[in-house]
Amino acid sequence: MMRFLTLCFLLISSYSWAETPPSWQYLPVAYEGRTLHLKTFAKLTTEKYDIETRDASKWLFDAVFSPEYSAQQKNILIKNPEVISFLRLKARPDHLYSPKELSQHFFNVKPDIESIQEGPFKQAIQRVQMSLNFHHDISESFTAFFAFANLAWVDVPTEFHPKDTSNPPRFVDLLKHRADIKQTAKQAAITYGPNFSKYPVHLQKMAYLSFIMDSLATQGKGSTSLRIIPSASGQPISPWKSILDAEGTPQRRIYFKNIEIAATAHKNGHNAALNKALKNLTILNSKGFSKLKLHVESLYHAISPLTLLLIFSAIGVALSSGAILSQKTLLNTASTITLYGITNLLGLTLLARMYILARPPVGTLFESILFVTFVCLALTLYKGWHKHMAAMLTAFVCSFGLFLLASALAETNAAMPLLTAVLNTQFWLTVHVLCITTGYAACLLTSLAAHGALLTGHISLARVRMFAVWAVFFTLTGTLLGGVWADQSWGRFWGWDPKENGALLLVLWLAWCLHLPYSLKISKTMQLTLFAATSIIVAISWFGVNMLGVGLHSYGFTQGIALGLISFVVLQSLLLIYLYKRKRFHEA
Amino acid sequence: MKILTFIKSPKLFTILAPCFMVYLVLGTLAQKYIGLHEATGIYFYGWVLWMHGIPLPGFLSLSVVLLINLTLFSLTQNWKQKTYGLMLMHVGVIGLMLSMIFTPFWSKEGYISIKTGEQTNTLTSYFEKNFIVKLADQTWSFDHKTLSKGSLLTDKKWPFEIRILEHCKNCKISMRGESKYNFEGMGQNMSLSPQALELKAEENLSGLSFSVIQKNQEKAYTLIDAVPLSIHMDEASFQLVKRMEALPFTVTLNRFKKTNYSATEMAKAYLSDITVKDETGSKRAAIEMNSPLSIGDYTLYQSSVIGSNSDTPVSVLAAVHNPLKEAPYFATGLIAFGLLAHALQKGRHKK
């Protein structure tokens, strides 16, 4: 029995070490203006740099502690056949290539890369280069703490020997003598010329030592991503940055000591010592920020809420369609539960983003889509419109479409980009952007209510007009507040920028629709159709103007959704023509 | 009487609104091809819009008609308790339109660039360029955009005449072949011809070539704004520069601070610590993004920075002179309040 238990224990422990040490995953790392758990950092960066791996933390662990092994692993995803052909790579079914082979191929085609014209192909090449650079960056992180590949203590002048020479020499062992070594090597070059063989043996050792230290430092200079050591200014920096810039606090030595222990323990297979050293680093790094925030962000990325929301809204579409067709109460109840689930999950997602980013969740186009969807869904539930199955189906279809659009706009599902300095204002983000995005939601609800009125006749024109009045209130107030913000930051209230024009277009459209019955004899059906067409104006105002790529609102520029937008405008127009004719036919 | 009824009726608005929407769409799309500055001038700040040679009422003309419509409507309506929100909103829109129509004529904008530790009182225009002629102690300034090929510039005090030979808002430079004019300086080799405007107006390379005719002698020169050289001919000198004017105060940059997001090189905030000195005295103030400084009718904004990582960065402050700057704020308040009152009142009425 004991043998069995021991075997089980060994199996479990060996399994856990086949993954990564537990402390590794929770090591705090600075990334894009905030601090993350290393496992979150690994997940975000591997997604960003097209590195395919089942366990991002393990990939990062291997890249840091076993750079040579990691360089041979086929992890970099290249799907573009033109890029594969250009790099003279063999096409593979899994499209995966190792950093080592890519480095070689990039070296071979280096002259050709410079002659490529700017465009999508060059961007695709650059994307692969970025993946490769990231691997190099990460795999150099701890090289200052690894033993030199071709150097023993006998090759190092004795005056630089530390007390303990049981381990092979490393860059950090010789760090404090680097200036002397360089100076002596420089002097030797002046005295004896560039030929090493003419140097006395002692100086040969110095020159060689200086050369390999400089080579390693040159490579280490590019290692900036793994920011785990605090600098004198308080900004976390990478180990190499800390070494080369001599920028560090007295605590730097403690960090270095623990990294040394971790590197040695890993090499010698001392898992407990490795885990302990990493744990010490985690404890040292866990000061000055909220641990809860780290856990919330880890959870956020682990569950990928946008993917869940997409799945749930697709299920909602199926359930509510089934409920309408079969008239079964069970399906109806399941749809209602799903709608509540989506709304709550979306609300929690927005709250999590607010907490993590410490700002209102409307700083980017991606976030504004989530916020508008939430307002629409919350109002649907609050007003009880979901009790009409058609309204429920509409809510699911719209939310699915908006989530799909959001996922197309985000580079990764969880994009949390930093805001430019001009946007970095809590007050205006809250006042202007919340107001205008609520206006977009009110416009969509106006349009949806008008669709419902045309389709079923259960919603009155007066109610649709009421929605439109609120939509005008939020969009006009939001637009004017945007003018006040522009006046505060750019020095003009109104500059005819595409984004501003888009908002004005929406306001004018709604004002026109509201004024029409006071000046023209216009049928109720036509009024409803025009209100329903508000969705088209919203799409143009919200997304269309961003595609022009001009103006001061550069942070909202978008590409790659033109086809989607045109399809929406065409389909929506056709639907409105159909609904108008259908309604007129019924009235007749 | 019928006309008056029509002018003050919502019917006129329902006719004008689609026109505004069309102009908005055209003006916005045009920005993609001719840039914001040009498109704004053509579509939004023109009294007449020329479409393929056909004159149409410009945005400003339509705005004046709408302004009359709204004013008459507001004056002739009964201000009942039931509709006061709506009426306030209309009055707010009138205020907003008035400021929109008059601001371009009464305001001016430019930038001030100051190196840390230095001071300046010069406001430089973003787009406007002047052709400067200096003779003895006197200076004549000609707006570059009002000049054209063939223009003849004269003055009683000048012993010469100037004829514009080449003129372009955005010039294409090419090798000059044989010319009937006697070019000197860089004009000997450089010929200027107009090309499509840049999307950012400040990136346009403006230039002109001109000949100076004096006592049957004619010499020709070329100037481009990117090379602010001064051409000297006897006692006269010629220059093409961005329009500059003196501010009624002096600004000294004491310190510039850029704050980055943690562990990145991305700017989170900029701050210019300045001292403003005018006739009344001097005061120290800080200008940050979204936090400008008002000095009389002038407002200074943090616009950008050159060499933020150097020891002496150059802070670029946008400066706007606008006597009507408060008007949109009052109008916004009136519109928001009026709309809210109307929406609440309508909601209560429905219940």
Side-chain angles (χ1 to χ4, degrees):
Chain A
M1 185 63 185
M2 278 304 286
R3 275 187 185 177
F4 176 73
L5 285 174
T6 310
L7 189 65
C8 285
F9 175 76
L10 282 173
L11 272 172
I12 291 165
S13 59
S14 67
Y15 172 76
S16 66
W17 288 119
E19 301 300 317
T20 51
S23 310
W24 174 248
Q25 311 226 5
Y26 297 97
L27 184 65
V29 183
Y31 178 69
E32 292 195 341
R34 54 192 199 278
T35 307
L36 312 174
H37 278 147
L38 188 132
K39 61 178 178 179
T40 315
F41 169 79
K43 185 174 187 291
L44 294 181
T45 49
T46 49
E47 278 176 13
K48 183 177 176 182
Y49 294 108
D50 299 328
I51 293 161
E52 282 285 300
T53 171
R54 277 189 303 167
D55 185 346
S57 300
K58 174 78 167 65
W59 176 86
L60 202 77
F61 182 81
D62 287 341
V64 170
F65 285 99
S66 314
E68 284 185 20
Y69 165 77
S70 169
Q72 290 167 19
Q73 301 307 302
K74 295 183 182 77
N75 288 118
I76 298 178
L77 183 74
I78 310 172
K79 280 194 167 173
N80 189 327
E82 285 179 62
V83 174
I84 293 170
S85 162
F86 175 80
L87 291 173
R88 297 169 204 162
L89 292 161
K90 281 184 183 170
R92 289 181 188 146
D94 57 3
H95 309 289
L96 295 174
Y97 298 88
S98 74
K100 193 174 180 178
E101 62 186 323
L102 284 176
S103 295
Q104 186 59 48
H105 285 259
F106 262 109
F107 182 77
N108 293 341
V109 297
K110 201 177 173 185
D112 303 335
I113 293 176
E114 283 156 18
S115 60
I116 303 172
Q117 285 191 334
E118 293 295 334
F121 178 63
K122 187 157 191 175
Q123 283 171 6
I125 296 277
Q126 284 167 341
R127 200 175 166 91
V128 180
Q129 265 181 323
M130 280 166 68
S131 306
L132 197 56
N133 289 345
F134 180 67
H135 179 266
H136 288 322
D137 178 332
I138 288 295
S139 59
E140 291 292 333
S141 298
F142 286 180
T143 49
F145 306 90
F146 295 161
F148 285 112
N150 301 310
L151 194 83
W153 281 118
V154 289
D155 303 319
V156 179
T158 48
E159 63 263 37
F160 301 139
H161 283 202
K163 285 177 191 169
D164 178 18
T165 53
S166 55
N167 288 317
R170 301 166 299 189
F171 189 94
V172 281
D173 295 326
L174 300 164
L175 182 59
K176 61 183 174 186
H177 306 297
R178 193 177 170 213
D180 294 337
I181 295 167
K182 268 186 106 163
Q183 184 57 36
T184 314
K186 198 176 168 185
Q187 197 57 50
I190 293 166
T191 314
Y192 299 100
N195 193 345
F196 269 30
S197 58
K198 291 180 181 171
Y199 292 16
V201 176
H202 174 75
L203 289 180
Q204 272 186 10
K205 283 184 180 178
M206 285 293 226
Y208 180 62
L209 193 57
S210 176
F211 170 74
I212 61 167
M213 283 187 82
D214 279 353
S215 303
L216 201 62
T218 306
Q219 288 178 321
K221 203 174 178 183
S223 176
T224 55
S225 293
L226 199 69
R227 296 167 186 254
I228 55 169
I229 297 179
S231 66
S233 64
Q235 301 284 319
I237 52 177
S238 68
W240 266 111
K241 175 98 177 145
S242 180
I243 290 167
L244 295 175
D245 294 358
E247 222 188 272
T249 56
Q251 285 81 22
R252 187 175 78 142
R253 289 179 61 80
I254 309 169
Y255 282 84
F256 283 3
K257 192 75 203 161
N258 280 293
I259 297 173
E260 278 174 44
I261 295 168
T264 312
H266 177 261
K267 190 183 170 225
N268 299 331
H270 296 156
N271 295 336
L274 171 60
N275 193 35
K276 193 180 171 194
L278 292 173
K279 196 171 183 178
N280 287 343
L281 276 175
T282 306
I283 294 166
L284 282 167
N285 256 344
S286 301
K287 287 169 191 166
F289 54 82
S290 162
K291 284 179 194 167
L292 179 64
K293 200 175 260 191
L294 264 69
H295 286 290
V296 170
E297 185 158 3
S298 292
L299 183 68
Y300 179 93
H301 294 295
I303 62 171
S304 292
L306 189 59
T307 313
L308 283 181
L309 287 166
L310 263 169
I311 294 168
F312 286 148
S313 49
I315 292 170
V317 172
L319 286 173
S320 52
S321 307
I324 288 172
L325 292 171
S326 66
Q327 297 291 320
K328 283 192 176 168
T329 319
L330 186 66
L331 285 176
N332 196 350
T333 312
S335 302
T336 308
I337 292 168
T338 311
L339 192 63
Y340 271 103
I342 290 174
T343 312
N344 286 325
L345 179 59
L346 184 53
L348 286 172
T349 303
L350 290 170
L351 280 175
R353 291 183 75 92
M354 275 175 78
Y355 179 62
I356 295 163
L357 298 169
R359 60 170 168 80
V362 283
T364 62
L365 200 58
F366 167 79
E367 287 177 342
S368 72
I369 296 171
L370 296 189
F371 183 76
V372 166
T373 315
F374 176 73
V375 173
C376 289
L377 290 178
L379 269 174
T380 304
L381 287 172
Y382 175 70
K383 289 283 184 181
W385 300 324
H386 63 287
K387 286 167 191 164
H388 301 282
M389 282 314 293
M392 174 101 80
L393 176 62
T394 312
F396 281 126
V397 170
C398 288
S399 53
F400 181 73
L402 287 167
F403 292 143
L404 210 58
L405 187 62
S407 60
L409 284 175
E411 194 177 346
T412 65
N413 284 352
M416 290 190 185
L418 297 173
L419 298 181
T420 54
V422 72
L423 284 180
N424 186 25
T425 152
Q426 296 285 342
F427 177 75
W428 287 113
L429 269 182
T430 310
V431 172
H432 160 63
V433 189
L434 278 183
C435 193
I436 196 87
T437 41
T438 307
Y440 289 148
C443 288
L444 285 181
L445 285 172
T446 305
S447 173
L448 290 173
H451 277 81
L454 285 169
L455 197 67
T456 64
H458 289 172
I459 302 168
S460 67
L461 175 63
R463 185 169 279 263
V464 175
R465 286 180 64 84
M466 189 62 231
F467 280 126
V469 169
W470 279 109
V472 169
F473 169 69
F474 283 111
T475 44
L476 182 54
T477 309
T479 304
L480 295 177
L481 287 171
V484 176
W485 185 6
D487 193 42
Q488 292 288 307
S489 57
W490 294 325
R492 87 290 184 284
F493 184 84
W494 195 263
W496 303 104
D497 185 275
K499 198 77 187 160
E500 295 166 354
N501 294 351
L504 182 59
L505 183 71
L506 189 54
V507 172
L508 274 172
W509 172 263
L510 288 167
W512 184 62
C513 291
L514 284 167
H515 280 83
L516 271 176
Y518 298 110
S519 50
L520 297 172
K521 280 183 182 172
I522 181 169
S523 68
K524 282 185 175 182
T525 309
M526 179 50 91
Q527 284 187 59
L528 286 171
T529 311
L530 290 173
F531 278 121
T534 304
S535 59
I536 295 174
I537 310 293
V538 171
I540 292 167
S541 166
W542 195 5
F543 304 108
V545 290
N546 289 331
M547 287 153 53
L548 291 174
V550 288
L552 285 171
H553 293 76
S554 54
Y555 40 81
F557 290 172
T558 319
Q559 284 182 327
I561 57 165
L563 192 65
L565 185 68
I566 292 166
S567 308
F568 171 76
V569 172
V570 171
L571 289 174
Q572 177 70 50
S573 305
L574 290 174
L575 177 68
L576 289 178
I577 292 167
Y578 165 73
L579 288 176
Y580 174 76
K581 291 204 164 181
R582 183 177 171 273
K583 182 87 173 164
R584 294 291 289 185
F585 177 77
H586 282 295
E587 282 170 357
Chain B
M1 197 61 193
K2 267 187 178 178
I3 293 172
L4 188 68
T5 312
F6 174 71
I7 289 174
K8 70 177 187 183
S9 72
K11 195 178 273 183
L12 184 57
F13 171 75
T14 53
I15 294 166
L16 288 173
C19 300
F20 281 118
M21 285 190 259
V22 170
Y23 280 26
L24 264 181
V25 172
L26 290 177
T28 309
L29 288 174
Q31 292 180 22
K32 171 103 180 144
Y33 305 100
I34 58 173
L36 189 143
H37 188 68
E38 279 295 308
T40 302
I42 295 169
Y43 289 94
F44 304 127
Y45 287 139
W47 294 101
V48 179
L49 175 68
W50 291 91
M51 293 285 274
H52 301 290
I54 303 164
L56 297 172
F59 202 89
L60 278 184
S61 311
L62 293 178
S63 301
V64 170
V65 176
L66 181 61
L67 190 64
I68 295 166
N69 169 249
L70 281 171
T71 310
L72 288 178
F73 173 78
S74 304
L75 289 174
T76 54
Q77 283 293 305
N78 278 334
W79 283 57
K80 290 179 275 185
Q81 195 185 352
K82 212 170 104 180
T83 57
Y84 74 94
L86 211 56
M87 300 311 291
L88 273 182
M89 196 270 284
H90 282 88
V91 172
V93 173
I94 292 170
L96 203 61
M97 291 192 69
L98 278 171
S99 75
M100 186 201 85
I101 292 169
F102 289 110
T103 297
F105 301 106
W106 287 357
S107 72
K108 57 187 170 191
E109 62 179 319
Y111 66 90
I112 305 167
S113 58
I114 340 166
K115 204 170 186 178
T116 312
E118 293 184 355
Q119 65 174 39
T120 184
N121 71 335
T122 308
L123 178 73
T124 310
S125 170
Y126 286 111
F127 321 112
E128 307 297 333
K129 285 132 193 181
N130 281 356
F131 176 49
I132 310 281
V133 179
K134 282 184 187 169
L135 184 66
D137 292 337
Q138 266 194 293
T139 302
W140 288 262
S141 182
F142 300 92
D143 189 346
H144 177 261
K145 68 172 182 284
T146 61
L147 300 175
S148 60
K149 189 177 173 179
S151 302
L152 188 68
L153 308 178
T154 56
D155 193 277
K156 284 176 188 169
K157 292 179 181 174
W158 293 357
F160 50 75
E161 285 181 338
I162 297 173
R163 185 181 300 280
I164 307 298
L165 307 175
E166 293 167 337
H167 176 272
C168 32
K169 285 183 187 171
N170 188 30
C171 299
K172 186 182 168 189
I173 300 173
S174 48
M175 275 295 285
R176 188 182 295 284
E178 280 196 19
S179 171
K180 63 177 180 179
Y181 297 101
N182 179 23
F183 271 97
E184 292 203 346
M186 62 181 175
Q188 287 175 322
N189 302 316
M190 274 171 49
S191 159
L192 305 179
S193 55
Q195 63 174 346
L197 296 173
E198 299 295 330
L199 290 181
K200 289 181 180 170
E202 57 271 30
E203 289 174 5
N204 284 328
L205 178 72
S206 302
L208 56 84
S209 294
F210 59 98
S211 66
V212 184
I213 309 152
Q214 189 178 13
K215 294 172 191 169
N216 296 331
Q217 270 193 332
E218 191 169 359
K219 282 182 182 173
Y221 303 92
T222 297
L223 285 170
I224 49 173
D225 67 334
V227 187
L229 284 175
S230 189
I231 290 171
H232 296 272
M233 199 194 90
D234 302 331
E235 287 184 344
S237 69
F238 311 95
Q239 226 182 346
L240 181 66
V241 288
K242 281 185 175 173
R243 182 182 294 167
M244 285 186 254
E245 63 180 89
L247 291 164
F249 51 84
T250 308
V251 182
T252 309
L253 180 65
N254 307 315
R255 186 175 64 100
F256 182 84
K257 190 183 168 195
K258 179 191 170 198
T259 312
N260 285 347
Y261 282 102
S262 168
T264 67
E265 291 302 312
M266 189 172 167
K268 187 180 180 183
Y270 297 110
L271 182 146
S272 288
D273 173 5
I274 60 163
T275 300
V276 180
K277 198 174 176 183
D278 60 10
E279 289 169 350
T280 57
S282 70
K283 71 167 183 176
R284 198 165 175 158
I287 300 176
E288 291 179 78
M289 282 284 179
N290 299 308
S291 176
L293 173 71
S294 286
I295 311 158
D297 285 339
Y298 282 90
T299 312
L300 304 184
Y301 305 83
Q302 185 64 58
S303 175
S304 60
V305 60
I306 302 164
S308 60
N309 296 324
S310 72
D311 293 337
T312 51
V314 177
S315 180
V316 182
L317 304 173
V320 178
H321 178 263
N322 183 8
L324 293 174
K325 66 183 174 191
E326 316 293 352
Y329 288 72
F330 288 121
T332 300
L334 274 179
I335 292 169
F337 181 74
L339 265 173
L340 183 64
H342 177 64
L344 290 173
Q345 209 267 333
K346 200 160 183 179
R348 204 164 46 231
H349 177 67
K350 289 285 167 232
K351 279 179 187 174

